[in-house]
Amino acid sequence: AFSVFAMIIALVILLGSLLSVKGVLHWQLALFLLATIIPAVSVIVNFLLRPPGAGIDLSPVAFAVSALLIAYDVAHFNFLDILPVAHHSIFQRMRGGVMVLDRLNRIVDSNESLTGFLGRRIAAGTSISELGDIGEEISAAVRHSVPYETEIYNEEQNRFYELRMTPLKDGMGRIVILYDTTERKRSELKLVEANAALSAKLE
């Protein structure tokens, strides 16, 4: 009874996660959910629908099939490479927009500031190529194998960002942080214009 209850809870959690993600993570979880359902069905058949000891016990076969599906999930879909990073309170409260990329440049985690910068919530598994113009700027930055900083301009939003990219250990991915520098940049431009106007008057 406890095993069945634990499996049901796990299935509900997995199903909830499956409905909230898209892209490669969706297929990863779908296959993992299938691998979880097979042993669960076997347990239910063995202990709830027939007396113990009657007929053939399908549990070993079910767990073997489940193990093969999980192995395929790990090997083909890189399941363990895209597990979301824990959302710590500091991570969510950072002023900069943070995204954690895996080695295939898929976003595995992001914070609320990034959602505000981009104007939409980014689902885990989204490729940076799906972010439009700003995604192209990020793609250029993450090609570097060492920490990298640059300034980018998002024409769609008419805003400036300072981009900082840091590679993770052993090439497992990258952390990208965006700081909105629009107000500072506009102040600098106004100061340049004022200096130019003053120089013109003095001439």
Side-chain angles (χ1 to χ4, degrees), residues 101 104-107 120 122-123 125-131 139:
L101 306 177
L104 298 180
N105 291 333
R106 299 172 298 192
I107 299 174
R120 62 188 177 97
I122 306 300
T126 300
S127 171
I128 56 175
S129 62
E130 300 176 38
L131 301 182
S139 295

Side-chain angles (χ1 to χ4, degrees), residues 53-68:
I56 300 174
D57 186 357
L58 298 177
S59 296
V61 176
F63 280 99
V65 172
S66 176
L68 290 174

Side-chain angles (χ1 to χ4, degrees), residues 41-85:
V41 171
S42 173
V43 170
I44 292 173
V45 170
N46 284 335
F47 294 99
L48 299 182
L49 300 184
R50 65 181 180 80
I56 300 174
D57 186 357
L58 298 177
S59 296
V61 176
F63 280 99
V65 172
S66 176
L68 290 174
L69 288 174
I70 293 175
Y72 181 78
D73 202 6
V74 172
H76 184 73
F77 289 113
N78 298 316
F79 181 68
L80 297 180
D81 290 346
I82 199 170
L83 291 176
V85 180

Side-chain angles (χ1 to χ4, degrees), residues 158-202:
N158 190 26
R159 303 197 72 82
F160 295 89
Y161 295 98
E162 178 183 301
L163 184 152
R164 298 180 182 178
M165 185 279 298
T166 304
L168 296 177
K169 185 178 180 181
D170 299 327
M172 293 301 295
R174 292 166 176 80
I175 294 179
V176 176
I177 304 178
L178 296 176
Y179 293 100
D180 191 334
T181 58
T182 303
E183 297 306 319
R184 186 186 73 189
K185 192 68 177 179
R186 287 173 179 171
S187 298
E188 292 174 354
L189 292 175
K190 288 180 180 179
L191 182 60
V192 171
E193 292 173 357
N195 288 336
L198 181 59
S199 297
K201 288 182 180 180
L202 292 176

